[in-house]
Amino acid sequence: MKKIYYLKTCDTCKKIIKSLPNTDGFILQDIKEEPITVKQLEEMHALTGSYEKLFSKRAKLYKERGMKDMNLTENDFKQYILEHYTFLSRPVIITNDKIFVGNSPKNVTAAIEYLSNE
């Protein structure tokens, strides 16, 4: 599977996707227009081993709800991601059995290097 979960209204996501090499054949899913399913989230979890790794602690709702003071479980992270698209750290790039989550420079560089050698 070659897929990118992103927000089309997010300039950072658009910039990252534009910088990726060899993206022919990738399916782009705007998670606001087409929310992720339980199955899709479970597939991402299988590759990361953690819902927390998929969860964005930079989301506006995370701060507004005072979630940093909560003791969240893996199941909580899963439920919040399914509840609102903003809780998924983006973009999520999946190619074969490799996953890259989020927009940190280190992660983006790793994705670019991986896709360059694919």
Side-chain angles (χ1 to χ4, degrees):
M1 171 176 52
K2 293 184 172 211
K3 193 154 194 175
I4 300 174
Y5 297 92
Y6 76 112
L7 273 179
K8 76 177 181 185
T9 56
C10 171
D11 289 336
T12 302
C13 284
K14 290 190 282 190
K15 187 177 107 184
I16 290 169
I17 292 168
K18 197 174 186 178
S19 74
L20 297 173
N22 303 326
T23 55
D24 292 344
F26 272 81
I27 297 166
L28 298 178
Q29 181 174 332
D30 179 356
I31 60 173
K32 186 174 183 180
E33 289 183 1
E34 185 184 343
I36 59 171
T37 64
V38 171
K39 184 176 184 252
Q40 289 171 328
L41 185 57
E42 288 172 352
E43 289 169 353
M44 289 183 241
H45 178 265
L47 294 172
T48 62
S50 167
Y51 289 111
E52 186 174 5
K53 287 181 182 172
L54 296 163
F55 188 86
S56 173
K57 292 182 179 174
R58 294 170 51 194
K60 194 174 178 183
L61 281 179
Y62 181 76
K63 293 175 181 84
E64 286 175 2
R65 294 182 182 183
M67 296 169 85
K68 72 178 171 90
D69 300 321
M70 296 178 186
N71 194 7
L72 300 173
T73 65
E74 275 290 289
N75 200 47
D76 292 332
F77 289 120
K78 178 182 181 180
Q79 292 309 313
Y80 283 122
I81 292 169
L82 290 170
E83 174 190 314
H84 200 281
Y85 66 87
T86 196
F87 289 121
L88 181 68
S89 188
R90 1 168 244 286
V92 176
I93 303 160
I94 301 174
T95 178
N96 303 320
D97 291 333
K98 200 83 166 124
I99 188 167
F100 303 91
V101 181
N103 59 22
S104 73
K106 180 181 173 187
N107 187 59
V108 173
T109 300
I112 291 170
E113 287 175 6
Y114 184 83
L115 292 172
S116 293
N117 297 317
E118 203 175 35

